[in-house]
Every structure is written in structure tokens, then in C-alpha cells.
Amino acid sequence: MYKLYSNRYSGHSYKVALLLELSAAPYHLVEVDLSIPGPERSADFRAVSPFLEVPVLVDGDVYLCQSNNILQYLAAKLAPFSKTAADEALRVGEWFFWESNRIGFSIANLRLYKRFLEDFPPDLERFLHSRAVDDLAVLDKALSSSEFLVGDRLTIADLSCSGYLFWLHEAGLDVDQWPGVRAWLGRIADQPRWKSPEELFASAATL
């Protein structure tokens, strides 16, 4: 059984947990309290998390961090994601690097400040909002001619890029402004076994 150290408010955790759920893989979620400073978190978590961040996947003697890295590892092992062709894998890689530099920075931090932090410098808010709008425009354009980001079926590129987008409203963004993105999120939510972040993490054990 896979163990995933995660946090219910983390889109990076959500994308990995969702892959496990969609794949019907056996897994156990362990909730990590991110309000506790990293060096003070539990010894078992610190032993497998070199950066003291979530998510961390434990698969027997193997432990991995960084969400996109974990997605690649699991996709190679779990159907239906293991069916990705070589040319598709190259496109997936492009989206992975784009996501980590764009959405993983702009939308994740915009939501973080708006929902969880009280002191949000106006200049920083404008900067993150501007980047988020640009990023959603890129996604919307890509999805104007395709149902998914790579090919005609769901891949880990979609899971990677959508991890934070089910919380767009918490970042002060209206998904209706990007109809391609809205429809794409709907197609992901229509997948068998899909669960919202709230549903997926409801059974997580607290560390």
C-alpha cells in the first residue's frame, strides 16, 4: 500500500492523491500539519522528506518528494496512466516544467495569501494576479482545440496543471472567464472515481 504524506489544502498533494484514487491503487493518506515548522514535524516524516515539504510518497523502501516527480513515478506503474506513449511523454514533460514555473507559483501563492495570510502587499497581489490571468489564458488557448492537454485522454499533465484550479475562487478568480479551462475541469471531474479535494482528504489520518 502506498503512503502519501499530504495536506488537505495543498494542490500539490491533491494532484498525487487524485492519481492514486483514479487508478484505484491502495493508498493511505497521512495529514501533515503545515502550521508546524518543518524541522519540528514528526521524525518519521522528516526521515523521508529531505525538503520537509508535502507531498511525500512512500512505496516500500522507496520514498519520493516533489509532486510532478511522484506523478511520473506512479504513472509508470499504474493503469491507465502507464499507457502514455513516448511522444506524449515529451509533451507531458513540457507541461510539468511549465506548471512548476507558472501555476505552481502564481495561482498557488495568490490563493495562499488570499485565504490563509492576513498581510497581502498590494503590489504582490497585483503581480500574482497578473501572472495567474496570463497562465489561465495559456491553458484556455491550449484547450480550445483539445479536450485534454496531451492527446485525447487524461494524462498526468492534466493532473499536474489542475491541482490548484479547483480552488480558483479562493484565489479571487472566476473560472467562467476561461470557458476552455472550465470545461476541462469538468471533464476531469467526470472521470470515474474523481473526488474533490474535500472528499479525498476527508479520511486522511492526522500526523
Side-chain angles (χ1 to χ4, degrees), residues 23-83:
S23 304
Y27 67 93
H28 174 57
L29 298 177
V30 179
E31 179 88 358
V32 177
D33 185 350
L34 298 184
S35 69
I36 300 174
E40 298 175 18
R41 292 171 190 164
S42 69
D44 60 333
F45 173 72
R46 287 185 282 112
V48 296
S49 181
F51 306 127
L52 303 179
E53 298 174 343
V54 294
V56 176
L57 179 79
V58 179
D59 178 17
D61 294 332
V62 175
Y63 55 90
L64 296 170
C65 59
Q66 299 300 307
S67 60
N68 286 341
N69 185 43
I70 299 171
L71 288 181
Q72 284 187 310
Y73 173 81
L74 289 173
K77 302 181 68 173
L78 300 174
F81 297 97
S82 58
K83 298 178 182 179

Side-chain angles (χ1 to χ4, degrees), residues 120-143:
F120 196 175
D123 288 348
L124 178 58
E125 180 176 6
R126 285 192 291 270
F127 171 70
L128 291 174
H129 185 273
S130 176
R131 278 187 62 123
V133 167
D134 289 345
D135 297 342
L136 289 165
V138 169
L139 279 176
D140 205 59
K141 181 179 179 181
L143 292 162

Side-chain angles (χ1 to χ4, degrees), residues 2-206:
Y2 297 104
K3 177 188 288 187
L4 184 67
Y5 291 96
S6 54
N7 181 274
R8 66 188 62 242
Y9 302 115
S10 161
H12 298 303
S13 296
Y14 175 56
K15 66 174 86 167
V16 177
L18 184 57
L19 185 151
L20 291 166
E21 180 65 28
L22 294 177
S23 304
Y27 67 93
H28 174 57
L29 298 177
V30 179
E31 179 88 358
V32 177
D33 185 350
L34 298 184
S35 69
I36 300 174
E40 298 175 18
R41 292 171 190 164
S42 69
D44 60 333
F45 173 72
R46 287 185 282 112
V48 296
S49 181
F51 306 127
L52 303 179
E53 298 174 343
V54 294
V56 176
L57 179 79
V58 179
D59 178 17
D61 294 332
V62 175
Y63 55 90
L64 296 170
C65 59
Q66 299 300 307
S67 60
N68 286 341
N69 185 43
I70 299 171
L71 288 181
Q72 284 187 310
Y73 173 81
L74 289 173
K77 302 181 68 173
L78 300 174
F81 297 97
S82 58
K83 298 178 182 179
T84 304
D87 58 333
E88 290 179 324
L90 293 175
R91 303 284 80 84
V92 168
E94 290 176 340
W95 282 113
F96 269 17
F97 285 107
W98 180 83
E99 184 275 338
S100 64
N101 183 51
R102 302 297 308 192
I103 291 176
F105 174 79
S106 64
I107 295 174
N109 283 302
L110 184 61
R111 171 180 172 260
L112 171 69
Y113 274 97
K114 279 188 165 294
R115 173 163 182 179
F116 300 104
L117 303 178
E118 295 181 0
D119 186 15
F120 196 175
D123 288 348
L124 178 58
E125 180 176 6
R126 285 192 291 270
F127 171 70
L128 291 174
H129 185 273
S130 176
R131 278 187 62 123
V133 167
D134 289 345
D135 297 342
L136 289 165
V138 169
L139 279 176
D140 205 59
K141 181 179 179 181
L143 292 162
S144 65
S145 58
S146 177
E147 291 193 346
F148 296 101
L149 291 177
V150 177
D152 58 359
R153 63 184 179 83
L154 185 75
T155 68
I156 52 177
D158 301 289
L159 300 186
S160 175
C161 291
S162 67
Y164 277 94
L165 302 194
F166 290 99
W167 289 308
L168 276 179
H169 60 288
E170 295 185 0
L173 299 164
D174 182 359
V175 71
D176 288 340
Q177 295 182 39
W178 300 277
V181 172
R182 181 189 61 210
W184 169 64
L185 293 175
R187 287 188 289 273
I188 295 173
D190 286 339
Q191 299 295 310
R193 300 184 62 89
W194 180 86
K195 291 182 179 179
S196 68
E198 293 74 19
E199 293 173 304
L200 199 52
F201 290 110
S203 62
T206 302

